[in-house]
Amino acid sequence: MHWAFVGASTIAAQHMLNAVRRQPGHIVTWIVSNSPDRVQTWAAEHDVPNATTDLQQALTDPSVGAVYISSTNEKHHAQAMAAIAAGKHVLCEKPLGMTQDEAVEMVRAAQDAGVTFGTNHHLRCSGSHRAVRELIASGRIGKVLSLRIHHAVHLPDNLQGWRINSADAGGGVIPDIVVHDADVTRFLLQEDPASVVAQMTSSGMGQGVEDSCMSVWSMPSGAMVMTHESFTHPFAGSGLEVHGTEGSIFAKGVMTQRPVGEITLVTEAGSEDVPFSDHDLYVQGVSDFVAAASGQGRPAADGPDGVKSLSVALSVREAAATGQRVNINYGGF
Ligand code: NDP
């Protein structure tokens, strides 16, 4: 299958080109950007044969079967709608859009057009998160009481652009990282958060957008979820803990793009290290997506998953802005 990449971005260069090229028979044939200079440079640096600033030029290439969108967040909706209208399968970066309405429209359009739509939530593709999910699902920790996610990191210098200074481009730690934590929570606990309380702040990096957030989510089962996201914490490390009536899971260093970290299961029987696969997260995500596009299974995270992670994040922002508990509405999904 031939792919058009929309967005001359860091994530495309660092992870997604490789992830597509690792799928047998898959080639990235187009790069689309808004900048005539950047698109030519990007194409040359990454050995992509066609470069354009005209999305329609790539979309009218009949050999293109799939479109991967990794532009800034405010562009996702229009680009995805155009790709869907052209009959292409779409793998879109998180957050799917700026608003829930945008995300719902994209996902419904893909359903109506009969094309595969995936959301690029990489964490649920990792061996570590899949191992934690399996421990929970197989009852190793009994009834889940709580989940704590530590996702306060230091935003690398090269990414300190629109994420920290442009609300119009979808900046802020909530659309950037809370969406991932919402997806992780849904993936691990297999239920959707019902309501949230939250606080957000700017702690030195954010200019007009929040760079740090803490929130508490109520789950329908009664479990409590606590999450912490930030761009300003160079030494905090990342991880998650799941605590149940029969045991606790400590997954250290696993909120990352790389297949690293450690998982420990603690029960009455003692403490044990839990092994997990060290496959590339993005290769796995694209592999699941292309299988779905050929009629086998579903994307690791599909369209409704993307709507739901955005719905949680927007509710967190509303709760933080108003100081009120927010009941989450999932836009019909
Ligand atoms: P980048 O800032 O690297 O790129 C985003 C856009 O900014 C590009 O599409 C490009 O626009 C423009 N741009 C790139 N370089 C420059 C530059 N030097 N000067 C001016 N503009 C530039 O963003 P990321 O790769 O970090 O993120 C892109 C998307 O991917 C976001 O939606 C983000 O949320 C998501 N993401 C997802 C991750 C995941 O693991 N799922 C991880 C990281 C990001 P143009 O295309 O018009 O040239």
Side-chain angles (χ1 to χ4, degrees), residues 197-200 212-217 227-229 233 316 320:
V197 293
Q199 293 203 4
M200 62 183 172
S212 299
C213 177
M214 289 186 176
S215 55
V216 175
W217 310 348
T227 82
H228 179 199
E229 298 83 8
H233 286 49
V316 166

Side-chain angles (χ1 to χ4, degrees), residues 265-279:
L265 171 66
V266 181
T267 64
E268 210 163 27
S271 176
E272 62 182 274
D273 293 339
V274 178
F276 57 87
S277 166
D278 65 355
H279 61 258

Side-chain angles (χ1 to χ4, degrees), residues 8 10-11 33-34 38 73 93-94 120 122 162-163 282:
T10 308
I11 181 73
S33 149
N34 288 295
R38 196 161 51 238
N73 303 338
E93 273 305 342
K94 42 53 65 172
N120 204 27
H122 63 298
W162 60 270
R163 271 187 182 77
Y282 296 94

Side-chain angles (χ1 to χ4, degrees), residues 19-314:
V20 169
R21 287 172 171 164
R22 290 268 299 275
Q23 314 298 323
H26 287 253
I27 308 169
V28 179
T29 52
W30 287 92
I31 177 70
V32 182
S33 149
N34 288 295
S35 157
D37 292 340
R38 196 161 51 238
V39 80
Q40 292 298 339
T41 307
W42 206 94
E45 276 178 4
H46 301 293
D47 203 18
V48 173
N50 302 295
T52 184
T53 56
D54 177 6
L55 174 59
Q56 283 305 327
Q57 197 184 354
L59 295 180
T60 50
D61 178 345
S63 74
V64 169
V67 173
Y68 166 62
I69 298 171
S70 66
S71 51
T72 46
N73 303 338
E74 86 287 10
K75 297 193 174 76
H76 294 176
H77 172 258
Q79 292 167 337
M81 292 302 288
I84 293 163
K88 314 298 185 187
H89 302 300
V90 173
L91 178 57
C92 187
E93 273 305 342
K94 42 53 65 172
L96 289 187
M98 299 287 281
T99 63
Q100 187 187 59
D101 284 350
E102 284 189 354
V104 167
E105 192 182 10
M106 292 153 70
V107 173
R108 293 271 183 236
Q111 289 173 340
D112 291 347
V115 298
T116 298
F117 189 99
T119 307
N120 204 27
H121 278 308
H122 63 298
L123 289 167
R124 63 162 70 201
C125 300
S126 72
S128 58
H129 287 246
R130 290 182 177 187
V132 172
R133 185 183 205 246
E134 180 55 32
L135 288 172
I136 298 168
S138 62
R140 295 293 301 278
I141 63 167
K143 177 178 164 50
V144 174
L145 301 171
S146 60
L147 165 65
R148 305 177 190 162
I149 297 181
H150 312 278
H151 207 161
V153 298
H154 180 75
L155 188 67
D157 292 351
N158 66 312
L159 296 184
Q160 290 180 27
W162 60 270
R163 271 187 182 77
I164 61 166
N165 63 21
S166 177
D168 291 345
V173 78
I174 292 176
D176 202 52
I177 305 186
V178 174
V179 285
H180 280 312
D181 294 345
D183 189 63
V184 166
T185 297
R186 295 186 55 252
F187 180 68
L188 295 182
L189 303 188
Q190 301 192 52
E191 57 177 339
D192 299 335
S195 68
V196 301
V197 293
Q199 293 203 4
M200 62 183 172
T201 192
S202 176
S203 58
M205 212 180 268
Q207 301 152 36
V209 293
E210 79 290 339
D211 61 28
S212 299
C213 177
M214 289 186 176
S215 55
V216 175
W217 310 348
S218 301
M219 305 300 286
S221 65
M224 296 182 77
V225 176
M226 181 177 81
T227 82
H228 179 199
E229 298 83 8
S230 179
F231 290 150
T232 63
H233 286 49
F235 308 110
S238 80
L240 62 84
E241 301 170 3
V242 199
H243 303 286
T245 52
E246 310 296 327
S248 287
I249 301 164
F250 298 86
K252 197 173 162 194
V254 298
M255 308 304 288
T256 165
Q257 296 178 302
R258 291 173 298 120
V260 296
E262 297 162 20
I263 303 176
T264 307
L265 171 66
V266 181
T267 64
E268 210 163 27
S271 176
E272 62 182 274
D273 293 339
V274 178
F276 57 87
S277 166
D278 65 355
H279 61 258
D280 183 290
L281 285 64
Y282 296 94
V283 172
Q284 182 66 53
V286 175
S287 172
D288 290 354
F289 177 81
V290 299
S294 64
Q296 292 159 7
R298 42 155 285 173
D302 61 13
D305 290 320
V307 171
K308 289 186 176 189
S309 65
L310 178 61
S311 301
V312 175
L314 293 171

